[in-house]
Structure formats: C-alpha cells, structure tokens
PDB file of all heavy atoms in Angstrom:
ATOM      1  N   GLY A   1     184.206 116.327-104.308  1.00 98.00           N
ATOM      2  CA  GLY A   1     184.195 115.085-104.985  1.00 98.00           C
ATOM      3  C   GLY A   1     184.814 113.974-104.207  1.00 98.00           C
ATOM      4  O   GLY A   1     184.811 112.853-104.688  1.00 98.00           O
ATOM      5  N   GLY A   2     185.418 114.178-103.085  1.00 97.00           N
ATOM      6  CA  GLY A   2     186.181 113.187-102.338  1.00 97.00           C
ATOM      7  C   GLY A   2     185.041 112.227-101.743  1.00 97.00           C
ATOM      8  O   GLY A   2     183.866 112.520-101.719  1.00 97.00           O
ATOM      9  N   GLY A   3     185.517 111.118-101.161  1.00 98.00           N
ATOM     10  CA  GLY A   3     184.603 110.200-100.507  1.00 98.00           C
ATOM     11  C   GLY A   3     185.238 108.834-100.281  1.00 98.00           C
ATOM     12  O   GLY A   3     186.502 108.782-100.350  1.00 98.00           O
ATOM     13  N   LEU A   4     184.487 107.932 -99.788  1.00 98.00           N
ATOM     14  CA  LEU A   4     184.899 106.566 -99.567  1.00 98.00           C
ATOM     15  C   LEU A   4     184.773 105.696-100.812  1.00 98.00           C
ATOM     16  O   LEU A   4     183.525 105.699-101.447  1.00 98.00           O
ATOM     17  CB  LEU A   4     184.156 105.965 -98.333  1.00 98.00           C
ATOM     18  CG  LEU A   4     184.448 104.580 -98.095  1.00 98.00           C
ATOM     19  CD1 LEU A   4     185.784 104.361 -97.633  1.00 98.00           C
ATOM     20  CD2 LEU A   4     183.398 104.111 -96.913  1.00 98.00           C
ATOM     21  N   VAL A   5     185.718 104.963-101.189  1.00 98.00           N
ATOM     22  CA  VAL A   5     185.614 104.202-102.350  1.00 98.00           C
ATOM     23  C   VAL A   5     186.376 102.908-102.040  1.00 98.00           C
ATOM     24  O   VAL A   5     187.366 102.928-101.372  1.00 98.00           O
ATOM     25  CB  VAL A   5     186.083 104.806-103.672  1.00 98.00           C
ATOM     26  CG1 VAL A   5     187.580 105.310-103.558  1.00 98.00           C
ATOM     27  CG2 VAL A   5     185.802 104.045-104.913  1.00 98.00           C
ATOM     28  N   GLN A   6     185.950 101.700-102.712  1.00 98.00           N
ATOM     29  CA  GLN A   6     186.663 100.436-102.592  1.00 98.00           C
ATOM     30  C   GLN A   6     187.800 100.540-103.377  1.00 98.00           C
ATOM     31  O   GLN A   6     187.934 101.118-104.448  1.00 98.00           O
ATOM     32  CB  GLN A   6     185.624  99.336-102.824  1.00 98.00           C
ATOM     33  CG  GLN A   6     184.568  99.107-101.757  1.00 98.00           C
ATOM     34  CD  GLN A   6     183.708  97.902-102.131  1.00 98.00           C
ATOM     35  OE1 GLN A   6     183.810  97.366-103.327  1.00 98.00           O
ATOM     36  NE2 GLN A   6     183.003  97.454-101.179  1.00 98.00           N
ATOM     37  N   PRO A   7     188.879  99.612-103.088  1.00 98.00           N
ATOM     38  CA  PRO A   7     190.037  99.429-103.873  1.00 98.00           C
ATOM     39  C   PRO A   7     189.565  99.120-105.239  1.00 98.00           C
ATOM     40  O   PRO A   7     188.639  98.162-105.478  1.00 98.00           O
ATOM     41  CB  PRO A   7     190.722  98.313-103.238  1.00 98.00           C
ATOM     42  CG  PRO A   7     190.424  98.412-101.697  1.00 98.00           C
ATOM     43  CD  PRO A   7     188.989  98.828-101.809  1.00 98.00           C
ATOM     44  N   GLY A   8     190.209  99.776-106.415  1.00 98.00           N
ATOM     45  CA  GLY A   8     189.750  99.388-107.779  1.00 98.00           C
ATOM     46  C   GLY A   8     188.670 100.415-108.236  1.00 98.00           C
ATOM     47  O   GLY A   8     188.324 100.389-109.328  1.00 98.00           O
ATOM     48  N   GLY A   9     188.196 101.087-107.349  1.00 98.00           N
ATOM     49  CA  GLY A   9     187.085 101.960-107.685  1.00 98.00           C
ATOM     50  C   GLY A   9     187.455 103.374-108.229  1.00 98.00           C
ATOM     51  O   GLY A   9     188.748 103.598-108.414  1.00 98.00           O
ATOM     52  N   SER A  10     186.548 104.194-108.427  1.00 98.00           N
ATOM     53  CA  SER A  10     186.895 105.516-109.092  1.00 98.00           C
ATOM     54  C   SER A  10     186.220 106.607-108.438  1.00 98.00           C
ATOM     55  O   SER A  10     185.192 106.478-107.787  1.00 98.00           O
ATOM     56  CB  SER A  10     186.305 105.545-110.611  1.00 98.00           C
ATOM     57  OG  SER A  10     186.907 104.497-111.343  1.00 98.00           O
ATOM     58  N   LEU A  11     186.834 107.801-108.547  1.00 98.00           N
ATOM     59  CA  LEU A  11     186.271 108.950-108.012  1.00 98.00           C
ATOM     60  C   LEU A  11     186.651 110.150-109.062  1.00 98.00           C
ATOM     61  O   LEU A  11     187.716 110.030-109.670  1.00 98.00           O
ATOM     62  CB  LEU A  11     186.759 109.416-106.632  1.00 98.00           C
ATOM     63  CG  LEU A  11     186.269 108.669-105.448  1.00 98.00           C
ATOM     64  CD1 LEU A  11     187.018 109.241-104.172  1.00 98.00           C
ATOM     65  CD2 LEU A  11     184.722 108.936-105.285  1.00 98.00           C
ATOM     66  N   ARG A  12     185.780 111.205-109.069  1.00 98.00           N
ATOM     67  CA  ARG A  12     186.179 112.289-109.847  1.00 98.00           C
ATOM     68  C   ARG A  12     186.217 113.597-108.861  1.00 98.00           C
ATOM     69  O   ARG A  12     185.149 113.885-108.349  1.00 98.00           O
ATOM     70  CB  ARG A  12     185.217 112.678-110.922  1.00 98.00           C
ATOM     71  CG  ARG A  12     185.731 113.729-111.899  1.00 98.00           C
ATOM     72  CD  ARG A  12     184.884 113.984-113.183  1.00 98.00           C
ATOM     73  NE  ARG A  12     183.594 114.664-112.746  1.00 98.00           N
ATOM     74  CZ  ARG A  12     182.867 115.223-113.643  1.00 98.00           C
ATOM     75  NH1 ARG A  12     183.157 115.204-114.968  1.00 98.00           N
ATOM     76  NH2 ARG A  12     181.832 115.942-113.228  1.00 98.00           N
ATOM     77  N   LEU A  13     187.486 114.220-108.745  1.00 98.00           N
ATOM     78  CA  LEU A  13     187.601 115.262-108.013  1.00 98.00           C
ATOM     79  C   LEU A  13     187.411 116.597-108.788  1.00 98.00           C
ATOM     80  O   LEU A  13     187.727 116.498-109.979  1.00 98.00           O
ATOM     81  CB  LEU A  13     188.849 115.457-107.288  1.00 98.00           C
ATOM     82  CG  LEU A  13     189.346 114.249-106.425  1.00 98.00           C
ATOM     83  CD1 LEU A  13     190.540 114.419-105.773  1.00 98.00           C
ATOM     84  CD2 LEU A  13     188.185 113.854-105.444  1.00 98.00           C
ATOM     85  N   SER A  14     186.837 117.543-108.269  1.00 98.00           N
ATOM     86  CA  SER A  14     186.538 118.895-108.939  1.00 98.00           C
ATOM     87  C   SER A  14     187.219 119.970-108.210  1.00 98.00           C
ATOM     88  O   SER A  14     187.352 119.985-106.972  1.00 98.00           O
ATOM     89  CB  SER A  14     185.135 119.225-108.995  1.00 98.00           C
ATOM     90  OG  SER A  14     184.291 118.218-109.697  1.00 98.00           O
ATOM     91  N   CYS A  15     187.760 120.964-109.081  1.00 98.00           N
ATOM     92  CA  CYS A  15     188.476 122.083-108.512  1.00 98.00           C
ATOM     93  C   CYS A  15     187.900 123.430-109.144  1.00 98.00           C
ATOM     94  O   CYS A  15     188.095 123.537-110.331  1.00 98.00           O
ATOM     95  CB  CYS A  15     189.876 122.074-108.706  1.00 98.00           C
ATOM     96  SG  CYS A  15     190.797 123.653-108.272  1.00 98.00           S
ATOM     97  N   LEU A  16     187.089 124.113-108.396  1.00 97.00           N
ATOM     98  CA  LEU A  16     186.547 125.356-108.826  1.00 97.00           C
ATOM     99  C   LEU A  16     187.450 126.496-108.670  1.00 97.00           C
ATOM    100  O   LEU A  16     187.843 126.799-107.552  1.00 97.00           O
ATOM    101  CB  LEU A  16     185.134 125.688-108.174  1.00 97.00           C
ATOM    102  CG  LEU A  16     184.565 126.920-108.532  1.00 97.00           C
ATOM    103  CD1 LEU A  16     184.111 127.036-110.012  1.00 97.00           C
ATOM    104  CD2 LEU A  16     183.326 127.187-107.656  1.00 97.00           C
ATOM    105  N   ALA A  17     187.906 126.989-109.747  1.00 94.00           N
ATOM    106  CA  ALA A  17     188.820 128.228-109.722  1.00 94.00           C
ATOM    107  C   ALA A  17     187.973 129.521-109.484  1.00 94.00           C
ATOM    108  O   ALA A  17     187.814 130.299-110.489  1.00 94.00           O
ATOM    109  CB  ALA A  17     189.696 128.279-110.879  1.00 94.00           C
ATOM    110  N   SER A  18     187.828 129.797-108.165  1.00 87.00           N
ATOM    111  CA  SER A  18     187.052 131.023-107.937  1.00 87.00           C
ATOM    112  C   SER A  18     187.882 132.317-107.979  1.00 87.00           C
ATOM    113  O   SER A  18     189.087 132.166-107.794  1.00 87.00           O
ATOM    114  CB  SER A  18     186.471 130.881-106.523  1.00 87.00           C
ATOM    115  OG  SER A  18     187.463 130.676-105.496  1.00 87.00           O
ATOM    116  N   GLY A  19     187.279 133.307-108.475  1.00 87.00           N
ATOM    117  CA  GLY A  19     188.005 134.626-108.456  1.00 87.00           C
ATOM    118  C   GLY A  19     188.798 134.785-109.804  1.00 87.00           C
ATOM    119  O   GLY A  19     189.603 135.859-109.814  1.00 87.00           O
ATOM    120  N   THR A  20     188.730 133.913-110.638  1.00 91.00           N
ATOM    121  CA  THR A  20     189.589 134.006-111.885  1.00 91.00           C
ATOM    122  C   THR A  20     188.965 133.092-112.881  1.00 91.00           C
ATOM    123  O   THR A  20     187.850 132.381-112.770  1.00 91.00           O
ATOM    124  CB  THR A  20     190.965 133.518-111.718  1.00 91.00           C
ATOM    125  OG1 THR A  20     191.836 133.762-112.726  1.00 91.00           O
ATOM    126  CG2 THR A  20     191.162 132.076-111.223  1.00 91.00           C
ATOM    127  N   THR A  21     189.612 133.093-114.016  1.00 92.00           N
ATOM    128  CA  THR A  21     189.079 131.987-115.120  1.00 92.00           C
ATOM    129  C   THR A  21     190.386 131.108-115.348  1.00 92.00           C
ATOM    130  O   THR A  21     191.494 131.516-115.202  1.00 92.00           O
ATOM    131  CB  THR A  21     188.656 132.802-116.357  1.00 92.00           C
ATOM    132  OG1 THR A  21     189.705 133.638-116.877  1.00 92.00           O
ATOM    133  CG2 THR A  21     187.480 133.602-116.245  1.00 92.00           C
ATOM    134  N   LEU A  22     190.053 129.943-115.898  1.00 94.00           N
ATOM    135  CA  LEU A  22     191.026 129.057-115.999  1.00 94.00           C
ATOM    136  C   LEU A  22     192.223 129.251-116.956  1.00 94.00           C
ATOM    137  O   LEU A  22     193.362 128.834-116.828  1.00 94.00           O
ATOM    138  CB  LEU A  22     190.451 127.605-116.438  1.00 94.00           C
ATOM    139  CG  LEU A  22     189.541 126.896-115.339  1.00 94.00           C
ATOM    140  CD1 LEU A  22     189.039 125.681-115.952  1.00 94.00           C
ATOM    141  CD2 LEU A  22     190.466 126.635-114.154  1.00 94.00           C
ATOM    142  N   ASN A  23     191.983 130.161-117.777  1.00 94.00           N
ATOM    143  CA  ASN A  23     192.933 130.477-118.731  1.00 94.00           C
ATOM    144  C   ASN A  23     193.986 131.514-118.209  1.00 94.00           C
ATOM    145  O   ASN A  23     194.982 131.799-118.880  1.00 94.00           O
ATOM    146  CB  ASN A  23     192.392 131.020-120.110  1.00 94.00           C
ATOM    147  CG  ASN A  23     191.580 132.235-119.863  1.00 94.00           C
ATOM    148  OD1 ASN A  23     190.940 132.506-118.913  1.00 94.00           O
ATOM    149  ND2 ASN A  23     191.525 133.048-120.981  1.00 94.00           N
ATOM    150  N   TYR A  24     193.732 131.868-117.028  1.00 95.00           N
ATOM    151  CA  TYR A  24     194.712 132.817-116.316  1.00 95.00           C
ATOM    152  C   TYR A  24     195.455 132.120-115.095  1.00 95.00           C
ATOM    153  O   TYR A  24     195.919 132.720-114.281  1.00 95.00           O
ATOM    154  CB  TYR A  24     194.097 134.033-115.722  1.00 95.00           C
ATOM    155  CG  TYR A  24     193.845 135.132-116.843  1.00 95.00           C
ATOM    156  CD1 TYR A  24     192.517 135.201-117.526  1.00 95.00           C
ATOM    157  CD2 TYR A  24     194.804 135.968-117.289  1.00 95.00           C
ATOM    158  CE1 TYR A  24     192.307 136.065-118.526  1.00 95.00           C
ATOM    159  CE2 TYR A  24     194.484 136.789-118.323  1.00 95.00           C
ATOM    160  CZ  TYR A  24     193.309 136.780-119.062  1.00 95.00           C
ATOM    161  OH  TYR A  24     193.151 137.713-119.941  1.00 95.00           O
ATOM    162  N   VAL A  25     195.319 130.803-114.961  1.00 96.00           N
ATOM    163  CA  VAL A  25     195.984 130.079-113.943  1.00 96.00           C
ATOM    164  C   VAL A  25     196.479 128.702-114.335  1.00 96.00           C
ATOM    165  O   VAL A  25     195.921 128.076-115.359  1.00 96.00           O
ATOM    166  CB  VAL A  25     195.017 129.803-112.697  1.00 96.00           C
ATOM    167  CG1 VAL A  25     194.630 131.101-112.013  1.00 96.00           C
ATOM    168  CG2 VAL A  25     193.599 129.096-113.131  1.00 96.00           C
ATOM    169  N   THR A  26     197.520 128.352-113.793  1.00 97.00           N
ATOM    170  CA  THR A  26     198.054 126.966-113.901  1.00 97.00           C
ATOM    171  C   THR A  26     197.439 126.256-112.598  1.00 97.00           C
ATOM    172  O   THR A  26     197.461 126.781-111.529  1.00 97.00           O
ATOM    173  CB  THR A  26     199.629 126.997-113.760  1.00 97.00           C
ATOM    174  OG1 THR A  26     200.140 127.641-114.951  1.00 97.00           O
ATOM    175  CG2 THR A  26     200.044 125.584-113.717  1.00 97.00           C
ATOM    176  N   VAL A  27     196.987 125.095-112.729  1.00 98.00           N
ATOM    177  CA  VAL A  27     196.432 124.305-111.672  1.00 98.00           C
ATOM    178  C   VAL A  27     197.095 123.081-111.426  1.00 98.00           C
ATOM    179  O   VAL A  27     197.516 122.241-112.224  1.00 98.00           O
ATOM    180  CB  VAL A  27     194.861 123.989-112.162  1.00 98.00           C
ATOM    181  CG1 VAL A  27     194.312 123.296-110.952  1.00 98.00           C
ATOM    182  CG2 VAL A  27     194.053 125.107-112.473  1.00 98.00           C
ATOM    183  N   GLY A  28     197.316 122.800-110.098  1.00 98.00           N
ATOM    184  CA  GLY A  28     197.944 121.505-109.758  1.00 98.00           C
ATOM    185  C   GLY A  28     197.196 120.693-108.758  1.00 98.00           C
ATOM    186  O   GLY A  28     196.292 121.340-108.075  1.00 98.00           O
ATOM    187  N   TRP A  29     197.269 119.440-108.681  1.00 98.00           N
ATOM    188  CA  TRP A  29     196.594 118.619-107.749  1.00 98.00           C
ATOM    189  C   TRP A  29     197.763 117.949-106.832  1.00 98.00           C
ATOM    190  O   TRP A  29     198.766 117.484-107.410  1.00 98.00           O
ATOM    191  CB  TRP A  29     195.846 117.452-108.423  1.00 98.00           C
ATOM    192  CG  TRP A  29     194.480 118.001-108.768  1.00 98.00           C
ATOM    193  CD1 TRP A  29     194.110 118.221-110.114  1.00 98.00           C
ATOM    194  CD2 TRP A  29     193.269 118.024-108.076  1.00 98.00           C
ATOM    195  NE1 TRP A  29     192.690 118.494-110.213  1.00 98.00           N
ATOM    196  CE2 TRP A  29     192.261 118.473-108.954  1.00 98.00           C
ATOM    197  CE3 TRP A  29     193.017 117.950-106.690  1.00 98.00           C
ATOM    198  CZ2 TRP A  29     190.968 118.713-108.479  1.00 98.00           C
ATOM    199  CZ3 TRP A  29     191.657 118.152-106.276  1.00 98.00           C
ATOM    200  CH2 TRP A  29     190.732 118.524-107.110  1.00 98.00           C
ATOM    201  N   PHE A  30     197.605 117.887-105.622  1.00 98.00           N
ATOM    202  CA  PHE A  30     198.537 117.334-104.654  1.00 98.00           C
ATOM    203  C   PHE A  30     197.686 116.436-103.727  1.00 98.00           C
ATOM    204  O   PHE A  30     196.560 116.607-103.536  1.00 98.00           O
ATOM    205  CB  PHE A  30     199.242 118.398-103.776  1.00 98.00           C
ATOM    206  CG  PHE A  30     200.236 119.234-104.730  1.00 98.00           C
ATOM    207  CD1 PHE A  30     199.777 120.324-105.469  1.00 98.00           C
ATOM    208  CD2 PHE A  30     201.638 118.960-104.749  1.00 98.00           C
ATOM    209  CE1 PHE A  30     200.639 121.010-106.296  1.00 98.00           C
ATOM    210  CE2 PHE A  30     202.497 119.798-105.479  1.00 98.00           C
ATOM    211  CZ  PHE A  30     201.880 120.766-106.297  1.00 98.00           C
ATOM    212  N   ARG A  31     198.420 115.535-102.955  1.00 98.00           N
ATOM    213  CA  ARG A  31     197.658 114.789-101.962  1.00 98.00           C
ATOM    214  C   ARG A  31     198.647 114.554-100.873  1.00 98.00           C
ATOM    215  O   ARG A  31     199.908 114.535-101.003  1.00 98.00           O
ATOM    216  CB  ARG A  31     197.310 113.401-102.610  1.00 98.00           C
ATOM    217  CG  ARG A  31     198.378 112.486-102.990  1.00 98.00           C
ATOM    218  CD  ARG A  31     197.830 111.304-103.783  1.00 98.00           C
ATOM    219  NE  ARG A  31     199.015 110.407-104.149  1.00 98.00           N
ATOM    220  CZ  ARG A  31     198.739 109.374-105.022  1.00 98.00           C
ATOM    221  NH1 ARG A  31     197.568 109.070-105.467  1.00 98.00           N
ATOM    222  NH2 ARG A  31     199.792 108.634-105.375  1.00 98.00           N
ATOM    223  N   GLU A  32     198.010 114.386 -99.789  1.00 97.00           N
ATOM    224  CA  GLU A  32     198.836 114.158 -98.407  1.00 97.00           C
ATOM    225  C   GLU A  32     198.275 112.983 -97.700  1.00 97.00           C
ATOM    226  O   GLU A  32     197.121 113.094 -97.245  1.00 97.00           O
ATOM    227  CB  GLU A  32     198.741 115.501 -97.579  1.00 97.00           C
ATOM    228  CG  GLU A  32     199.779 115.501 -96.549  1.00 97.00           C
ATOM    229  CD  GLU A  32     199.728 116.866 -95.878  1.00 97.00           C
ATOM    230  OE1 GLU A  32     200.006 117.949 -96.698  1.00 97.00           O
ATOM    231  OE2 GLU A  32     199.542 117.016 -94.713  1.00 97.00           O
ATOM    232  N   ALA A  33     198.955 111.892 -97.656  1.00 94.00           N
ATOM    233  CA  ALA A  33     198.588 110.790 -96.859  1.00 94.00           C
ATOM    234  C   ALA A  33     198.911 110.976 -95.386  1.00 94.00           C
ATOM    235  O   ALA A  33     199.811 111.687 -95.097  1.00 94.00           O
ATOM    236  CB  ALA A  33     199.262 109.479 -97.440  1.00 94.00           C
TER     237      ALA A  33
END
C-alpha cells in the first residue's frame, strides 16, 4: 500500500498476517525515515 503522495494526501497501508490469524497476534506499525 505504500507509494508516492502529495503533502496532505492519504494512503492506506495493509499488513497481511501470514501463518496465523489476527486473534493470535498483537500487531504494530513502525516507520523509519
């Protein structure tokens, strides 16, 4: 879901939890500039 967007714009990132189901994991988002 990443990409190039103008300031003020929107993006929606997706995280597919492969090998498990979501009720068995805690999920976090991080970023690195």
Side-chain angles (χ1 to χ4, degrees):
L4 173 64
V5 63
Q6 292 187 341
S10 298
L11 281 175
R12 187 178 75 163
L13 305 184
S14 300
C15 172
L16 175 64
S18 60
T20 185
T21 54
L22 290 176
N23 59 333
Y24 283 97
V25 290
T26 297
V27 178
W29 281 101
F30 293 78
R31 63 188 179 192
E32 193 170 306

